[in-house]
């Protein structure tokens, strides 16, 4: 085995992780767009006159989600996930979406991050 073969073998070993992270990055970009959707209803309902806490509650997690998603899609290579990778994408997606989705609860209504995470996880998994 030549010196270059070991490097290529190591790169191929981490290929499944790149596929998973790239796919998660794409999902985080979508989440960033979806987090801006409630702002349409906030502006249409006239809720911004009381302060900008509601605005920041959705803009901050949206920007975090966009930045994380863009970073993951730019750094990691694309590929087609197999069934095991798809299940891992689903699991990590729920955990990551809930982690970012808890931020509006913390900023908007001032609950603890753990309570916000619980409410977001129950909302995303439809157990709430």
């Amino acid at each position: 085995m030549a010196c270059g073969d070991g490097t290529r073998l190591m790169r191929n070993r981490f290929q499944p992780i790149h596929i998973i992270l790239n796919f998660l990055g794409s999902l985080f970009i979508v989440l960033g767009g979806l987090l801006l959707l409630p702002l349409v209803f906030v502006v249409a309902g006239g809720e911004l006159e009381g302060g900008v806490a509601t605005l920041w509650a959705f803009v901050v997690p949206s920007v975090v989600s966009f930045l994380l998603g863009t970073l993951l899609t730019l750094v990691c290579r694309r590929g087609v996930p197999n069934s095991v990778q798809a299940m891992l994408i689903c699991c990590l997606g729920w955990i990551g979406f809930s982690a970012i989705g808890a931020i509006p609860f913390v900023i908007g209504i001032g609950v603890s991050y753990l309570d916000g995470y619980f409410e977001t996880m129950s909302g995303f998994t439809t157990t709430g």
Side-chain angles (χ1 to χ4, degrees), residues 3-20:
C3 183
D5 292 339
T7 305
R8 186 180 54 206
L9 180 65
M10 190 66 144
R11 252 184 276 158
N12 289 337
R13 183 178 180 148
F14 289 107
Q15 183 66 25
I17 295 171
H18 279 278
I19 293 171
I20 292 167

Side-chain angles (χ1 to χ4, degrees), residues 53-111:
T54 307
L55 177 72
W56 285 113
F58 290 102
V59 170
V60 169
S62 178
V63 168
V64 168
S65 187
F66 273 128
L67 290 177
L68 180 64
T70 303
L71 178 71
L72 288 175
T73 54
L74 291 177
V75 171
C76 300
R77 291 184 297 271
R78 288 191 133 157
V80 178
N82 60 27
S83 59
V84 174
Q85 292 168 341
M87 287 188 282
L88 191 57
I89 289 168
C90 182
C91 176
L92 294 175
W94 266 337
I95 293 169
F97 274 34
S98 297
I100 293 175
I103 298 172
F105 287 103
V106 174
I107 295 173
I109 58 176
V111 300

Side-chain angles (χ1 to χ4, degrees), residues 94-127:
W94 266 337
I95 293 169
F97 274 34
S98 297
I100 293 175
I103 298 172
F105 287 103
V106 174
I107 295 173
I109 58 176
V111 300
S112 71
Y113 183 78
L114 186 59
D115 288 340
Y117 187 86
F118 174 80
E119 291 299 329
T120 305
M121 180 62 83
S122 67
F124 280 136
T125 59
T126 64
T127 58

